[in-house]
Amino acid sequence: MEQLNLYYTEEYRRMDLEREFSDKLQTKTRITVTRNRSNLLSVHKEGNDKVHLRVQEIFLRAPQPVWEAIGTFIVSPTAKTRRIIREFISQNRPADALNKSGRASKLTTQGVYYQLDSLFEALNSEYFKGEVKCHISWGKPYLKKRSRSISFGNYDGFSNFIKINPALDHPKVPDYFIRYIVYHEMLHAKFENVLKQKTVRRAHHPVEFCESEKKFLEYEKAIAWEKRYIRLFIK
């Protein structure tokens, strides 16, 4: 019996999904399959006529109801579609996704100057009564030599994962600033859990989020530091 070529099987599956989504959404849809362990599903709309969907390779084995939920999520997220996608992820999350070198990726919380898990635990106790449940890790270093903007942190709702820019693990970065960045991303995790029960499209920073953000005791100090020293990170 001829051995199946799994690479082409998965590639054909991806192409079929692209055609199916482009037809159903009446929008040109591009699907990129990744081995990303922390960001399993993301959607980027490029103007009014293009959609870029990035999915972890586990989704190539997802049943039709999951892909129907993803299609609905792209148009108008609902509590039901979020639940279907989350349940699939929880049942199929890759335990040890491989990086490009073929070695297993691991959470990295220990930096040279700052340890993320201890910062997370302290903030969780001080501001959230220990109720924020998510993963946290240093992200990958940015490889671009020149950039006019920078993201200090990111929270991915589907994988329930916070990534912090490793550029902050530096002696010139004060502890109150990195604590503020972790706190900010923890707020995203908190509000994701609150809003996932609602069927309306959520704002990235709703009014309640902004009000909670200002409850960080060194909020003004952190914002002032960022405005003054942002030039250290961008060129």
Side-chain angles (χ1 to χ4, degrees):
M1 179 180 294
E2 183 179 357
Q3 185 176 9
L4 290 176
N5 188 322
L6 296 179
Y7 174 80
Y8 284 108
T9 301
E10 291 184 353
E11 177 63 9
Y12 287 146
R13 171 65 168 157
R14 184 194 65 79
M15 294 169 62
D16 287 342
L17 287 166
E18 278 190 342
R19 287 192 291 267
E20 180 180 340
F21 269 60
S22 295
D23 290 342
K24 288 186 176 181
L25 301 178
Q26 293 297 297
T27 300
K28 183 175 177 56
T29 304
R30 177 163 59 98
I31 297 178
T32 300
V33 179
T34 76
R35 288 189 172 184
N36 196 310
R37 187 167 179 254
S38 59
N39 192 350
L40 305 187
L41 173 66
S42 63
V43 179
H44 299 282
K45 294 185 178 180
E46 304 167 358
N48 296 322
D49 57 349
K50 291 182 181 179
V51 170
H52 183 196
L53 178 63
R54 291 176 60 87
V55 297
Q56 217 276 349
E57 59 186 355
I58 60 171
F59 281 97
L60 292 177
R61 303 185 295 275
Q64 190 62 24
V66 173
W67 280 101
E68 290 176 358
I70 292 174
T72 302
F73 175 81
I74 293 174
V75 177
S76 181
T78 66
K80 181 179 179 180
T81 58
R82 287 178 180 275
R83 185 177 68 253
I84 292 173
I85 297 170
R86 285 176 182 273
E87 288 177 353
F88 175 78
I89 289 175
S90 66
Q91 295 169 6
N92 297 273
R93 179 188 297 278
D96 253 340
L98 300 179
N99 58 29
K100 290 182 179 179
S101 67
R103 293 175 294 185
S105 301
K106 295 181 180 180
L107 298 183
T108 304
T109 59
Q110 179 64 62
V112 177
Y113 300 96
Y114 293 110
Q115 187 172 351
L116 292 179
D117 52 359
S118 60
L119 290 175
F120 179 93
E121 291 172 6
L123 290 166
N124 208 4
S125 175
E126 182 177 0
Y127 291 98
F128 301 98
K129 299 180 181 179
E131 295 176 353
V132 175
K133 309 294 184 183
C134 65
H135 306 289
I136 189 169
S137 178
W138 293 107
K140 294 181 179 180
Y142 285 94
L143 300 179
K144 293 182 179 180
K145 294 183 179 180
R146 299 183 64 85
S147 177
R148 295 182 179 180
S149 63
I150 188 171
S151 174
F152 289 121
N154 176 69
Y155 171 73
D156 179 68
F158 285 110
S159 57
N160 197 28
F161 200 106
I162 291 174
K163 288 190 292 186
I164 300 298
N165 192 325
L168 296 181
D169 186 32
H170 193 281
K172 290 186 178 180
V173 177
D175 65 334
Y176 62 81
F177 184 73
I178 191 169
R179 289 177 74 249
Y180 162 68
I181 296 299
V182 175
Y183 174 79
H184 178 96
E185 299 308 329
M186 291 176 72
L187 281 179
H188 278 298
K190 173 187 174 181
F191 278 87
E192 177 78 12
N193 290 331
V194 170
L195 295 174
K196 70 182 181 181
Q197 301 300 327
K198 300 181 180 181
T199 59
V200 296
R201 185 184 298 273
R202 67 180 178 90
H204 189 59
H205 291 144
V207 175
E208 298 90 340
F209 181 101
C210 296
E211 291 175 349
S212 296
E213 185 178 34
K214 293 178 181 178
K215 292 180 181 178
F216 181 70
L217 295 180
E218 295 173 294
Y219 172 78
E220 297 293 344
K221 190 176 179 180
I223 295 300
W225 188 90
E226 180 178 5
K227 289 181 179 179
R228 184 174 182 180
Y229 294 103
I230 188 68
R231 67 181 186 279
L232 295 175
F233 302 96
I234 60 177
K235 295 180 180 180

